[in-house]
Amino acid sequence: MMSDPDRFADLFQHFGPVTARRMFGGEGLFAGDVMIGIVGDGDEIFLKTNETTRAAYLDENARQFVFHMRSKPAEVALTSYYSLPPRLCDDPEELARWAKEAHEVASQTETAKRKQRQRLRETTARQPAGRRTRR
């Protein structure tokens, strides 16, 4: 049975709505349609990073989210998600800044861009012919 998808609402109140969604045997942490994080064991939160934002996580001794491949049990997949520094749980405004950075990073991934293009096509297809605009 899945936990409450809105259980992180208080934690992210200064950032905006965040929900946990079941995926691949775990949970992704979403802001709208953008996956900004992963929920690990014990509800530990790992946020999306890139080469630039990752330094702040490493300065806080954050751990990288890793998972074991089911198809190849001896292999571990490394990810670009790093654990949320515990001190941020007591500083919701600072946590909001980190979440915003994670959202910006996640929004630039090919998956997020592809979803955005798909939503745009669907929206355009639903508009009456006289209202469609060309770009």
Side-chain angles (χ1 to χ4, degrees):
M1 184 173 171
M2 189 171 144
S3 301
D4 176 10
D6 298 315
R7 67 190 179 278
F8 301 110
D10 287 344
L11 185 62
F12 286 93
Q13 66 183 332
H14 291 283
F15 169 71
V18 172
T19 57
R21 296 185 202 160
R22 198 152 194 54
M23 56 182 300
F24 308 116
E27 289 180 291
L29 197 59
F30 288 81
D33 288 338
V34 178
M35 189 170 112
I36 65 167
I38 295 174
V39 181
D41 292 337
D43 276 353
E44 183 175 16
I45 296 171
F46 295 80
L47 293 179
K48 180 78 171 161
T49 67
N50 63 14
E51 297 78 21
T52 304
T53 63
R54 191 169 303 128
Y57 289 81
L58 295 174
D59 287 346
E60 301 257 1
N61 297 314
R63 294 178 303 104
Q64 184 176 26
F65 181 80
V66 297
F67 63 94
H68 297 277
M69 306 291 286
R70 288 184 185 186
S71 59
K72 301 176 185 176
E75 290 190 31
V76 172
L78 302 177
T79 70
S80 58
Y81 294 88
Y82 280 76
S83 60
L84 186 68
R87 71 174 181 80
L88 296 179
C89 294
D90 295 325
D91 189 347
E93 291 174 356
E94 178 74 6
L95 186 145
R97 285 191 284 279
W98 288 55
K100 182 179 178 194
E101 284 183 348
H103 187 270
E104 290 170 3
V105 169
S107 295
Q108 297 305 312
T109 65
E110 275 308 309
T111 300
K113 289 178 181 179
R114 186 175 61 247
K115 286 180 181 181
Q116 186 178 28
R117 287 190 300 268
Q118 179 64 33
R119 280 191 306 274
L120 182 60
R121 281 193 298 273
E122 290 170 358
T123 301
T124 303
R126 286 192 298 254
Q127 290 179 353
R131 299 187 122 188
R132 291 185 189 160
T133 58
R134 292 187 178 240
R135 292 186 183 249

